[in-house]
Amino acid sequence: MTAVSVVVAVYNVREYLPRFVQSLQRQTFHDFEALFIDDASTDDSAALVEGHVSADPRFRLLRHEENRGLGVVCNLGIREARGETICFADPDDLLPENSLEVRYAAYKKHKAVVRACHDEVAADGRLLHHETRPEGLPELCRPSEAAARVGPNPFLCAHWTWLLPTALLRRHNIFHGENMRTADDIIMLARLFFHISRLVWLPDTVYRWIKRAGSLSFTRYTPQHYQNYFSCCDIFYEEAEKRRQSRLADMFFNDYCLSYPSHLLRQISDGASGETDARELVAAMTGVAERHSVLSRCLPDLRKSPSRWAGLYRLWHILNSDRPSAALRLADSQNAVYRLAREAEYEAIRKAGWKQEISFDKYDAERSLLRARYLFCDSPPEEQYCYGETALEPAFAKNRKVFDGTGYTIFERILWLPIPEDGGEKLSLLVGGKNAGLDHSPADIRRAFTPAPLNDSAFPPDVRALRRLAPAMRERFKDAWMFIDRDTRADDNAEHLYRWVMRNRPEVNAWFVLREESPDWPRLREEGFRLVPFGGMEHNVLFLKAKNLVSSQMDAYIYAWLENRFYGDLLKFKYTSLQHGVILVDLSPWLNDVDMDCFVTTTEDECRSIVDDGTGYLLTAKEVVRSGLPRHDALLAAPAPEKRIFVMPTWRAGLAGKWDGKGQRREHNPQFSSSPFARAWRSLLCSPALAELCRAFGYETVFWPHPGFEDYLQDFSPPEYIRTPAGESIQTLLKSSTLLVTDYSSIAFDMAFMFRPVVYYRFDDLAGFAAGQNRRPGYFSFERDGFGPVCRTEEELLGNLRELLRAGCRPAAKYLERMERAFDTRDGRCCERAFEAIMNLHRGFS
C-alpha cells in the first residue's frame, strides 16, 4: 500500500501547475501518490497533468465531465485514494521539500493524526504570517481535551497541513461539505474532531499558502460565504451535543461571531457589501444561536465576563439593538466589541502611564522628517530628542484621542522628528526616561525607509511588462502631476486646480485622468486639458511616474490604483487630497487608513477639528493646510441666480450597490427603492405642494442625487416638471441656482460661500447617518452652525420653502451672519494656496 495520497483539486490552474508539480517531484519522501482530480477545467490544466502522469507513475488523473465544486472533488479523492494516509493540497500553493516526510514519520512514530504548521506567503514571496503551535498546547494531545485550553479553532482550519489515516475518514463517513462556496474543509474537520483520540502537532512548516489576488483570501465574500462558515458551527454543535460537549461548540461559534461580522464591515466600508449582506449574516448567526439555545445557556457567562465571550456578546448586542438596519447593528456591535478588547489594554497603559512601546512608521524623505507614535494616559511623559549631544525639538507634535475610559483618557502621541544631515552622530529619543529604541545615524534612517528593488521574476506577465514599460515613458511623464476627480466625472476640485495650473504654471507637467466615455471628456478636451484615459496603459504608467497625485476623492482606486506589492519600489508620488467638500462629521475612522501627504481644508473650525490635540485624526499640522477648496474661486464670479431650487441629497454607504473597487461604478442595489431614504425623497419630489410652489413663484426644480446614486434616478420617480440633468456641470447648475435643499451634503458650504439660502431636510438623525457612513458626529451642529433651517418632516420643509420664496430667497439674518463668519477665503486665491501647499511637499523642512 502506498504510504501517502496527496489529493489535488484542479480547476483552471494552468499558470501555477508547473511550480506545484515541481514541489511534489522534489519531495524527500517518495512513497506517495498524487491524485489529481480535474473539475472540468476550461483551460489546458488537465492536459498538462496528463503529461506528468505519463512520465511519473506516482501521478494519477481523474476527471469530472462537469464542474462539481471543491467539496465533491475532495470527497472523490477520499474514496479513490490508495494511500494509508491522506492529505490535501491546492495546486496554486507549494509544498516544502520535507512536507510529506516529516508528516508521515510523525504518523508512524506516534500512531497519531498529524497537524503541522504553514506559512502565508504573498505572490511576490514576502512572508505574511508564520503559523506556530498554539501556546500551551503539548506536542501530543487529544483535541477534545486540549480545546478547553486553546479553543477548538486551531483544530478546525488549515486542512492542507494535516495527515489523516484514510481508513479513519472512511470508517466514520467523514467527508467535505458539498455545494459550498467555501469552508468545505472545515465541515470535514468538524466531523472529524471528536474521532481523534491522539494528535501530534509538529512545529515544522509543511505548506506554503500563496495569497494571490483572485484567491479566496482576496475574494469579496457574498452572503453564501458567510452562511457556509456558520453552517460549520451547526455541524460542530451537532457533533458536540452528541457527546455533551456543547461548551466547545460555544467557543467555536464565539470565535466566528467575533471575526466574520468584522470581515463584512470591512467590505461595507470599502463599498463591496451593503445592507442585504448584513441582514443575511445576522440571520445566519441568529439561526445557529436559536437552533442550539446558545444565548440562553451562555447568558450568565456573558454577564460575568463579556470580554471572554466577545463574539457571543456581539451577537447579544445585535439582537438587542433597536437600530433600523442590520449594517448599523453590526457597526454598533463592532464598537462594543472593540471597546471590550481595548479596555484591558488601556487599563494596563493607565497603570503604567504610557505603553512603553514606540513605533517609527513613516519617513518623509523630501522633508527629512521621521514619524514616531506611542500611547499614553492623560498626560504625555517627558520626551528628550537628541542628535548626539544636541537637543532637537519635534517639527510637529499632536495628542490624538484614542479612548475615553472611566476617569481617564488614552491618547496617541504623534511626533514628526527632524532628521539632520549625517555628521557622524547618532539620534536618540528618551520617553519617560527610557530609551525608545532610536539609536541610529541619519543615514541609517534614510536607508531603512528606502524601498529595495523588488524581484519581479515571479510576478504576473502583465505586471513585469508594465514595470519595464514605465522607464521607456520617463520623459513624457517626468515630474508629472496627475489630477483626477472621479473616474467617471470631473467638475470638482481637481479640475479647477488643474485649470489654474494650466493657465498660471504652464511649466508644470500636468495631466488629467478621466474615462473617455465621461460626459466631461469632450468639454475638457476642447478646453485644452491633457487627458489620459482612466484604466488604460497611459494611466498605469502615469501612476508609476507621477511626482504628485492630486484628487478630490479618497477612494482606494484613486491612490492605490496599482498594488504596492508589485510596484512599491517604483511609486514615488506625494498624494494630495483636495477633498470633495468641507468635513462636517468625524471622518477619522476612514481617513486614518488613507496615507496622504497633504490635506486641504477650508474653514478654521474644520481645520481645527482635524489638527488640534484631542481629535481622532492621525493627520497633523504637517499634512493639513487651510487653503479653501479650489472650486470656490470660481464661485466668486457666479452669475445672478436663476429661479431654481437645487435638490441634492447626499451619499448613503449602506444603500450603495456592490463594488469591485476599480472605479465609481457599482452594482444596482434592488433594495434601494424601498429604503426610507428613497421613499422620503420620492415623496418630496412627487409632492403636489412642491409642484404648486414652483408654479406659483415661477421656479424650476433640479434634482441631482449624489454621483453614487446616478443610476437610481428611476427609483425616485421624479415627475416631468423636475429636471434631472444628464451630462451637465454640477458647478454650473449650482452657481446659477437660487436655493439648495439637501440633507447632510457639504455642498451647502458652496451655497453659503455665495450667500444663498439652504434648507436642510433631515428626516433621520445625525448620529444614525454618521454611523451608517462609518463616521461619527463631529464639530458641526446643523442647528447651531448650519446655513438654513433644519426640517424633520416634509410638511415643515415645504413651509420653509414657501417662506423663503415669499421673501425673495434672501437668507435670514442669523444665517447670513454664519455664512460671513465661516469663510475667510473669499479672495480668489484658493487654487494658489493649494498649489503652494503641494510645492512645499518637495521643499525641505526648516
Side-chain angles (χ1 to χ4, degrees), residues 760-778:
Y760 298 100
Y761 181 29
R762 287 181 38 205
F763 47 85
D764 53 358
D765 67 280
L766 177 60
F769 165 76
Q773 308 286 91
N774 191 27
R775 315 289 189 256
R776 295 190 289 249

Side-chain angles (χ1 to χ4, degrees), residues 82-292:
R82 297 170 180 169
E84 177 187 5
T85 61
I86 189 171
C87 63
F88 301 87
D90 294 335
D92 56 350
D93 296 328
L94 296 172
L95 300 180
E97 293 181 0
N98 66 344
S99 175
L100 300 181
E101 181 179 9
V102 297
R103 281 189 273 180
Y104 189 72
Y107 167 74
K108 298 301 282 187
K109 176 181 177 181
H110 298 287
K111 296 181 174 55
V113 169
V114 179
R115 167 80 156 93
C117 299
H118 73 281
D119 285 342
E120 295 178 24
V121 183
D124 60 8
R126 289 176 294 113
L127 180 64
L128 301 176
H129 174 69
H130 170 67
E131 184 186 32
T132 59
R133 186 167 65 230
E135 185 177 354
L137 183 71
E139 184 180 33
L140 282 167
C141 69
R142 186 185 187 103
S144 59
E145 297 173 355
R149 298 194 303 277
V150 302
N153 232 335
F155 304 102
L156 298 170
C157 63
H159 79 302
W160 352 266
T161 66
W162 295 66
L163 186 68
L164 305 164
T166 309
L168 176 65
L169 299 183
R170 292 173 177 167
R171 182 165 64 250
H172 296 287
N173 290 313
I174 294 169
F175 293 100
H176 286 63
E178 297 186 355
N179 302 315
M180 302 177 71
R181 296 288 297 274
T182 187
D184 56 281
D185 54 320
I186 303 175
I187 294 287
M188 183 268 289
L189 293 172
R191 290 169 172 154
L192 174 67
F193 181 88
F194 289 103
H195 293 287
I196 303 174
S197 58
R198 187 174 172 86
L199 179 138
V200 57
W201 191 311
L202 305 178
D204 306 77
T205 297
V206 300
Y207 197 84
R208 293 201 173 97
W209 178 21
I210 313 299
K211 303 185 76 170
R212 297 180 176 87
S215 67
L216 183 61
S217 54
F218 290 95
T219 297
R220 175 199 167 270
Y221 277 19
T222 66
Q224 188 179 353
H225 285 90
Y226 298 116
Q227 289 162 4
N228 289 166
Y229 280 114
F230 282 100
S231 70
C232 299
C233 297
D234 269 324
I235 296 294
F236 196 56
Y237 266 115
E238 291 167 8
E239 296 295 325
E241 287 163 356
K242 293 175 188 176
R243 299 161 178 86
R244 298 185 178 181
Q245 295 248 33
S246 295
R247 184 58 121 196
L248 295 182
D250 292 337
M251 296 168 70
F252 181 50
F253 183 48
N254 175 74
D255 288 345
Y256 274 26
C257 288
L258 191 60
S259 59
Y260 288 109
S262 299
H263 183 279
L264 177 59
L265 283 168
R266 287 193 295 273
Q267 289 194 166
I268 291 175
S269 179
D270 292 339
S273 296
E275 174 64 17
T276 299
D277 305 85
R279 285 200 300 268
E280 296 276 2
L281 174 60
V282 170
M285 298 163 63
T286 304
V288 174
E290 290 177 348
R291 285 188 290 275
H292 304 284

Side-chain angles (χ1 to χ4, degrees), residues 335 612 810:
N335 293 333
D612 277 5
R810 177 173 175 77

